[in-house]
Amino acid sequence: MRIQHAKLYKVALPLVEPFRTSYGILDTKTFFLLELTDELGTVGYGELDAFLVPDYTEETLDTAAHIIEFLLLPELKKVLLKEPKDVRTLFSWVKGNEMAKAAIDSACYDLFAKRRGVSLAELLKTKQKKIPVGVSIGIQNSEEELISSVRNYVAEGYTRVKIKIKPHADLSFLQKVREEFPDLLLMADANSAYTTEQIPLLKQIDQLNLAMIEQPFSVRDFVNHARLQKQIHTPICLDENIRSLEDAIQAYELQSAKAINLKIARVGGLTEAILIAQFCEQVGMLVWCGGMLEAGIGRAFNIALAARSEFHFPGDISATKRYFKHDIIKKDFELNNGEIEVPQGLGIGVELDQKNLQRFTIEERDIVLD
Ligand code: OSB
Ligand code: MG
């Protein structure tokens, strides 16, 4: 397969409600849709999921789009791809820039599946036709608002609830939720907002029978996570720290975590993600599929990944309407009995809604590849 044409659409989708993390507040999901066309005219899609500012990891949407346009695509056009994992090999000399790589890697997976006449789910050897999913709830203004939000999501059928925390919106919020929902599969995500000075507080959170606590400390810190894990029973889950298989091995060897939140964008694509999932399964670390408020294309990739046999814990993969009123794909992902169906159509198995794509596109770039 040879890539002959590329196009980037910068899309801004309004969120149904603002999403607040320890980093800040987001009311619009801005991303790039990457469209790749091969020599047969087959079209594949990937989503570039980075944020507008480098507060989650180092990349931003515009730095990643730049790397895609001026560095990765010029390399890609020179080669004949034989299988999806060739993309990872081709870009292995490029340090970092995982989100940029992941967008291309994803679009190539879609293309390979379409050329072979199979669904991405089949290409990834998945068996599950439906997957149980969870919801990630942003930081709320009050404990009452948080309880009411959790209540609504539980009523909709979500089987696992993650609550974003930050200093001063943590212990009492989680305690209230735990009192109200004693048996709920509950977890907290700190997005690196704490330091070792707050270990006493984290030990109090340890009393709440959480399924895990995600990324309490800084985004490159394996050592203090390992120190904390020795002092608490609640499994630590690493998110921001894990950019590659190498990082997953490091987390395991240093005992920095017992679980990994795996995001395709954060680890540079599906090939790397699958290697990490296989490693986790092999060593007995829990692995689950995280999210970055993806639109329909990115969500389809997450669902296919989470349908693989290494995944035994509901991911941050909620129904479309939890995020958006309008999405760029024709059929919304819906929640039924706490589960989402795995698309079985050709490739990623979702169809673009051209009207919505035009409506929410704020910039379009044709990338000439010759
Ligand atoms: O830390 O997991 C995170 C969203 C944006 C950036 C980071 C994170 C998140 C989420 C949302 O928790 C997960 C989702 O897509 O529902
Ligand atoms: Mg997280």
Side-chain angles (χ1 to χ4, degrees), residues 107-206:
C108 289
Y109 265 91
D110 183 28
L111 277 171
F112 271 108
K114 285 171 175 165
R115 286 170 70 111
R116 292 177 192 178
V118 298
S119 64
L120 178 67
E122 195 177 337
L123 187 68
L124 298 188
K125 303 188 175 73
T126 67
K127 295 203 178 67
Q128 295 191 74
K129 299 286 182 262
K130 292 182 235 165
I131 52 165
V133 295
V135 63
S136 171
I137 304 181
I139 296 167
Q140 304 293 306
N141 292 321
S142 67
E143 291 151 12
E144 292 67 37
E145 281 172 57
L146 177 59
I147 298 283
S148 115
S149 177
V150 174
R151 187 173 295 123
N152 288 337
Y153 286 122
V154 169
E156 283 178 30
Y158 288 99
T159 54
R160 189 232 70 195
V161 173
K162 173 167 122 179
I163 291 168
K164 293 285 188 180
I165 57 169
K166 65 171 183 182
H168 310 296
D170 43 31
L171 183 62
S172 65
F173 283 68
L174 292 169
Q175 278 169 334
K176 287 265 160 54
V177 175
R178 187 39 103 206
E179 270 167 37
E180 194 81 12
F181 304 92
D183 302 319
L184 183 62
L185 193 54
L186 185 66
M187 51 201 275
D189 185 359
N191 285 111
S192 77
Y194 295 85
T195 67
T196 50
E197 283 176 20
Q198 286 139 316
I199 287 181
L201 173 83
L202 296 168
K203 283 184 170 174
Q204 285 180 280
I205 292 176
D206 191 31

Side-chain angles (χ1 to χ4, degrees), residues 30-173:
T30 311
F31 63 96
F32 279 97
L33 174 70
L34 173 66
E35 183 184 274
L36 294 183
T37 309
D38 71 6
E39 80 284 12
L40 307 175
T42 321
V43 181
Y45 291 97
E47 202 173 294
L48 168 56
D49 289 294
F51 295 104
L52 293 168
V53 292
D55 56 359
Y56 170 69
T57 62
E58 295 82 355
E59 289 177 276
T60 72
L61 268 179
D62 290 330
T63 63
H66 182 89
I67 293 282
I68 287 177
E69 182 170 357
F70 297 105
L71 198 137
L72 302 180
L73 287 177
E75 289 286 314
L76 189 70
K77 74 158 192 209
K78 292 189 216 152
V79 300
L80 263 179
L81 299 167
K82 292 207 182 69
E83 46 185 338
K85 69 177 171 56
D86 292 349
V87 178
R88 173 181 184 263
T89 311
L90 178 68
F91 297 145
S92 61
W93 65 276
V94 178
K95 306 288 186 288
N97 295 287
E98 292 84 5
M99 292 167 182
K101 291 179 188 172
I104 295 182
D105 176 275
S106 297
C108 289
Y109 265 91
D110 183 28
L111 277 171
F112 271 108
K114 285 171 175 165
R115 286 170 70 111
R116 292 177 192 178
V118 298
S119 64
L120 178 67
E122 195 177 337
L123 187 68
L124 298 188
K125 303 188 175 73
T126 67
K127 295 203 178 67
Q128 295 191 74
K129 299 286 182 262
K130 292 182 235 165
I131 52 165
V133 295
V135 63
S136 171
I137 304 181
I139 296 167
Q140 304 293 306
N141 292 321
S142 67
E143 291 151 12
E144 292 67 37
E145 281 172 57
L146 177 59
I147 298 283
S148 115
S149 177
V150 174
R151 187 173 295 123
N152 288 337
Y153 286 122
V154 169
E156 283 178 30
Y158 288 99
T159 54
R160 189 232 70 195
V161 173
K162 173 167 122 179
I163 291 168
K164 293 285 188 180
I165 57 169
K166 65 171 183 182
H168 310 296
D170 43 31
L171 183 62
S172 65
F173 283 68

